[in-house]
């Protein structure tokens, strides 16, 4: 833009290994940040409502950054992109969250030799279904395999780790606790599965 600034926004999608989007509705698009080269978006999306955990475990995360053009006939200009495989960012036994600064590279159609395009701050968090998919195990066995720290890292919607004497027998619950547990289970069942949550925080030094 004139004046050496941009109106940047970003789009996060999941791709299969042929670079095709997994699902058109599995997408995070940030708001447009006006006249800046270091936008703060703080946008988040939970992926997994329309695709399986197994597909996401094999997917590639793509973040595209654009300069919004409000003109009637001009398209948005690409500022760069970043891609990485989900199974390289997250480890089911060691790293349930991936956070850091990620350098942008030229997007298709940009001059390939461009460097210093800026960087993104992005966080990916694995939910229980993705943990099991990454392990190649049956989804749903997380309560038998995750330690306390991993349970806490899974975030909202996944309950608490079983206690030392918890054998899963509902008969051990009194009637009130059983009713509360059933209500909680129904509430969670009505929500999309938290396969992976992506939070795009900010970018800096865009070109």
């Amino acid at each position: 833009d004139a004046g050496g600034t941009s109106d940047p926004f970003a789009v996060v999608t999941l791709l299969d290994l042929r670079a095709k989007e997994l699902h058109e509705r599995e997408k995070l698009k940030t708001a447009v940040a006006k006249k800046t080269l270091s936008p703060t978006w703080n946008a988040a999306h939970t992926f997994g409502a329309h695709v399986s955990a197994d597909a996401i475990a094999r997917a590639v995360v793509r973040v595209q950054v654009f300069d919004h053009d409000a003109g009637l006939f001009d398209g948005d200009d690409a500022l760069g992109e970043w891609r990485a495989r989900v199974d390289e960012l997250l480890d089911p036994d060691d790293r349930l969250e991936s956070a850091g600064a990620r350098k942008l590279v030229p997007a298709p159609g940009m001059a390939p030799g461009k460097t210093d395009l800026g960087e993104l701050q992005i966080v990916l968090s694995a939910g229980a279904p993705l943990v099991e998919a990454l392990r190649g195990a049956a989804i749903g066995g997380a309560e038998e395999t995750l330690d306390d720290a991993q349970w806490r890292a899974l975030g909202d919607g996944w309950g608490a780790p079983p206690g030392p004497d918890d054998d899963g027998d509902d008969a051990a619950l009194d009637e009130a606790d059983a009713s509360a547990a059933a209500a909680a289970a129904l509430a969670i069942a009505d929500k999309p599965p938290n396969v992976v949550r992506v939070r795009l925080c900010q970018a800096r030094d865009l070109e």
Side-chain angles (χ1 to χ4, degrees):
D1 289 355
T5 62
S6 295
D7 301 323
F9 70 96
V11 179
V12 183
T13 49
L14 297 178
L15 309 177
D16 63 22
L17 297 184
R18 296 170 297 173
K20 181 181 178 181
E21 289 187 17
L22 292 186
H23 196 285
E24 62 182 6
R25 297 182 65 182
E26 294 281 8
K27 182 178 296 185
L28 166 62
K29 183 176 180 179
T30 72
V32 175
K34 295 291 187 179
K35 297 188 180 303
T36 180
L37 296 177
S38 296
T40 297
W41 293 303
N42 283 328
H45 178 72
T46 299
F47 290 83
H50 305 283
V51 293
S52 70
D54 287 336
I56 291 178
R58 298 189 298 270
V60 172
V61 181
R62 178 183 65 184
V63 184
Q64 300 167 290
V65 182
F66 299 95
D67 178 14
H68 176 65
D69 196 317
L72 184 60
F73 300 106
D74 296 329
D76 300 321
D77 297 321
L79 297 178
E81 68 170 34
W82 171 76
R83 301 187 189 199
R85 289 177 56 127
V86 170
D87 60 5
E88 293 176 350
L89 295 169
L90 299 170
D91 185 304
D93 297 309
D94 178 57
R95 190 173 60 255
L96 296 182
E97 184 170 274
S98 173
R102 313 296 185 182
K103 289 188 176 297
L104 293 172
V105 299
M110 295 178 64
K114 295 191 73 171
T115 58
D116 298 326
L117 297 177
E119 60 185 23
L120 303 165
Q121 188 75 27
I122 186 170
V123 181
L124 281 78
S125 304
L130 182 58
V131 170
E132 295 307 315
L134 287 168
R135 284 191 177 133
I139 295 174
E143 52 273 308
E144 297 178 358
T145 55
L146 300 183
D147 61 29
D148 288 2
Q150 289 172 319
W151 271 95
R152 288 193 295 271
L154 290 180
D156 296 339
W158 301 113
D165 299 323
D166 186 358
D167 60 3
D169 186 358
D170 287 341
L173 299 174
D174 60 30
E175 185 174 349
D177 286 342
S179 297
L186 287 174
I188 291 173
D190 287 339
K191 298 179 180 179
N194 178 15
V195 177
V196 64
R197 185 166 179 79
V198 177
R199 186 168 73 253
L200 188 57
C201 304
Q202 60 187 7
R204 62 186 181 188
D205 302 328
L206 300 176
E207 288 292 318

